[in-house]
Amino acid sequence: MDTKSGETRDFIVERLAEARERTRWLLRTLSDEDLARQHDEVMSPLIWDYGHIGNYEELWLLEQAFGRGLSERELYDMYDASLTPRSERPSLNLLDRGDAGRYLDAVREAVLEALGEADLATDDPLLKDGFVYHMVLQHEYQHNETMLQTIQLMQGVGYRPEIRADLPPGNQPKEEMVYVPGGSFVMGTEDRAWALDNERSAHEVETQGFYLDATPVTNHAYLEFVENGGYDREELWDPEGWAWKVEEDISSPGCWYQPDPHRWWTQCFGFHEPLLADAPVMHVSWFEADAYARWAGKRLPTEAEWEKAASWDPKEGTKRLYPWGDQPPMPERANLDQLTFRPAEVGAYPDGASAYGSSGMIGDVWEWTASEFSAYPGFESFPYREYSEIFFHAGHRVLRGGSWATRPGAVRNTFRNWDFPIRRQLFVGFRCAR
Ligand code: AVJ
Ligand code: FE
């Protein structure tokens, strides 16, 4: 074992333990009933996510990597996301909290044993530089955010989150938009240790010069759109979005409500409070973001524009892993990691700004882009088609940047998330371009 792979191994062991600790922490105060129930048809029962996290680990870190799976076929099938749609998962004979907990522990024990004997300096692309471990870690992180979306949708007494960090105050930038000059930049990455298949290949993209909002659109700005009749003006809407809005009878973002006709409040995780004017708007669909942008005389940025503004260092002609540089996220630079349970007021992280001066690109809220989720030039499905490939050109729009509920290891400038344009259960907002 060389030193480099020895370090990788210790790091992986530590991260796997830390990821599991967080998963259990998120579920710790929920009743067995709340774990088993389906709180919304677009989400799985939480107990499915819990078992699925363990089964994904078994599939990739035991079965696929070493041919050392533990379970019967039926268990794999039950937790295979591509076999049972979310709406049907409550009817599965899922492991309960106790059994799932013991199953996850048994998988982990075998995983650590196999890891102890693994050669991470190999040419096998699955194991090389720890890729498959990083993929499984990111999978658990992603499901942690999914679980928080489900918890947010839970009816009843609500979930009382434990807030573990205070938010810095907001600071509206002097200029509403930043300018990103035209020219080419490198989009995507060649990284094979952490990046997922859809982030590759790195390729040059030419953009025209454009303006980008310096911060995400705030509740205050979005309320002007609402009060200006934005939801009643068909000409502002994509026809499909208009039909969705009419059908669902939607007239404001998710979680907004009016305790009386003069005030707007929000309901988040069982907390009721006045709308925070300077925080980014959250729980809006792509269609709502698109209509707002048109109302404002702007448009949504393309995915390429978003990534250029977040990642390109025009002075050096190099690409940054995060807007502020290559240093990993710290609480001083971005609101991530489920510490605050809400987005900060815009401009709260001046040290997290990109080279072009746009702020809040990583953390706070995911941001919708104009682009449909599709393959980059040179894309190769790896290690399985169901991570990305089956979702290309299926009507999903790309989201960038992560939210307050995203674990730091699950987001970077090149990370691509996606969902249908009608969805708004995500911790999602947007910024506009022109
Ligand atoms: C990348 C968030 C769209 O949750 O559907 C989880 C990630 N893939 N398990 C999803 C994922 C397999 C995926 N997103
Ligand atoms: Fe999954």
Side-chain angles (χ1 to χ4, degrees):
M1 196 206 305
D2 63 50
T3 327
K4 181 167 176 282
S5 61
E7 281 167 17
T8 307
R9 207 179 310 263
D10 293 345
F11 174 86
I12 291 167
V13 171
E14 193 185 301
R15 287 309 156 106
L16 285 170
E18 195 269 350
R20 188 56 41 78
E21 207 178 297
R22 179 60 62 87
T23 298
R24 288 180 165 149
W25 183 83
L26 288 170
L27 297 176
R28 78 200 183 289
T29 59
L30 295 166
S31 67
D32 290 349
E33 164 68 22
D34 276 336
L35 288 184
R37 187 148 28 121
Q38 183 161 46
H39 298 284
D40 190 283
E41 63 183 13
V42 304
M43 308 307 290
S44 313
L46 290 160
I47 202 71
W48 184 89
D49 289 273
Y50 190 40
H52 167 78
I53 286 169
N55 183 245
Y56 193 88
E57 180 169 325
E58 178 183 5
L59 175 66
W60 289 103
L61 302 188
L62 293 176
E63 218 242 331
Q64 297 285 325
F66 304 106
R68 287 200 198 171
L70 306 172
S71 303
E72 303 290 327
R73 185 78 253 152
E74 293 82 69
L75 189 113
Y76 283 97
D77 288 351
M78 194 156 72
Y79 291 112
D80 183 337
S82 58
L83 290 183
T84 318
R86 285 182 174 180
S87 60
E88 288 168 28
R89 290 175 194 168
S91 65
L92 297 168
N93 186 22
L94 301 169
L95 301 177
D96 65 16
R97 191 202 308 253
D99 286 343
R102 281 181 285 278
Y103 168 58
L104 265 64
D105 288 343
V107 168
R108 180 57 57 84
E109 197 184 317
V111 162
L112 295 181
E113 198 182 308
L115 173 61
E117 300 158 13
D119 175 11
L120 302 179
T122 140
D123 282 337
D124 174 356
L126 204 55
L127 286 171
K128 191 170 162 21
D129 300 324
F131 169 80
V132 75
Y133 291 95
H134 301 157
M135 179 183 85
V136 168
L137 272 171
Q138 291 183 75
H139 182 258
E140 186 153 356
Y141 299 157
Q142 290 177 342
H143 275 273
N144 287 170
E145 182 161 358
T146 308
M147 284 158 39
L148 278 166
Q149 292 168 18
T150 308
I151 292 169
Q152 155 103 306
L153 292 165
M154 235 167 62
Q155 300 296 316
V157 286
Y159 177 84
R160 296 279 155 180
E162 186 186 319
I163 289 158
R164 291 169 297 149
D166 293 326
L167 287 169
N171 185 6
Q172 295 270 358
K174 274 189 231 58
E175 301 291 338
E176 182 184 294
M177 300 185 94
V178 300
Y179 185 65
V180 180
S184 68
F185 82 106
V186 178
M187 186 168 186
T189 177
E190 288 301 318
D191 174 55
R192 293 199 150 261
W194 281 92
L196 299 165
D197 61 0
N198 63 51
E199 296 168 64
R200 292 189 295 265
S201 298
H203 56 290
E204 275 204 19
V205 173
E206 180 89 21
T207 70
Q208 306 273 302
F210 64 97
Y211 283 91
L212 184 71
D213 285 346
T215 71
V217 170
T218 62
N219 282 320
H220 171 78
Y222 197 87
L223 183 57
E224 279 183 43
F225 165 71
V226 173
E227 294 188 330
N228 191 238
Y231 282 83
D232 303 319
R233 292 169 53 187
E234 191 170 352
E235 75 277 11
L236 297 174
W237 292 71
D238 178 287
E240 215 184 301
W242 180 257
W244 164 79
K245 181 209 79 85
V246 170
E247 170 74 24
E248 300 290 324
D249 194 20
I250 281 168
S251 54
S252 60
C255 301
W256 283 31
Y257 71 100
Q258 289 186 282
D260 64 58
H262 307 290
R263 293 179 303 156
W264 284 95
W265 281 44
T266 61
Q267 182 265 310
C268 289
F269 294 102
F271 293 119
H272 292 252
E273 58 189 26
L275 196 64
L276 192 59
D278 293 332
V281 66
M282 193 165 53
H283 302 303
V284 284
S285 65
W286 184 90
F287 287 128
E288 289 165 289
D290 174 65
Y292 172 95
R294 206 166 285 114
W295 171 80
K298 299 178 181 175
R299 60 179 176 79
L300 292 178
T302 64
E303 199 186 351
E305 287 170 337
W306 193 98
E307 188 167 319
K308 180 175 181 180
S311 71
W312 197 241
D313 181 336
K315 279 204 204 81
E316 303 288 329
T318 55
K319 190 175 172 81
R320 302 176 173 181
L321 260 176
Y322 303 97
W324 53 85
D326 290 340
Q327 310 90 319
M330 304 285 280
E332 298 74 36
R333 289 217 160 98
N335 179 19
L336 292 162
D337 212 18
Q338 309 157 357
L339 300 173
T340 63
F341 283 80
R342 61 168 72 234
E345 292 177 344
V346 298
Y349 298 92
D351 294 343
S354 75
Y356 295 104
S358 50
S359 77
M361 296 198 81
I362 295 278
D364 293 309
V365 288
W366 287 98
E367 298 181 19
W368 287 112
T369 70
S371 305
E372 187 178 12
F373 188 49
S374 61
Y376 288 165
F379 170 81
E380 277 178 56
S381 200
F382 181 77
Y384 67 114
R385 288 189 64 241
E386 291 77 13
Y387 184 76
S388 309
E389 194 175 357
I390 64 167
F391 299 104
F392 290 149
H393 294 290
H396 301 85
R397 300 286 168 159
V398 174
L399 301 128
R400 292 300 198 105
S403 76
W404 61 263
T406 307
R407 303 233 47 208
V411 73
R412 50 202 162 260
N413 280 336
T414 56
F415 185 83
R416 309 172 75 196
N417 194 0
W418 65 92
D419 211 334
F420 290 117
I422 61 170
R423 291 284 198 254
R424 48 186 207 165
Q425 85 286 358
L426 295 97
F427 305 105
V428 58
F430 64 98
R431 75 178 75 211
C432 300
R434 194 171 58 207

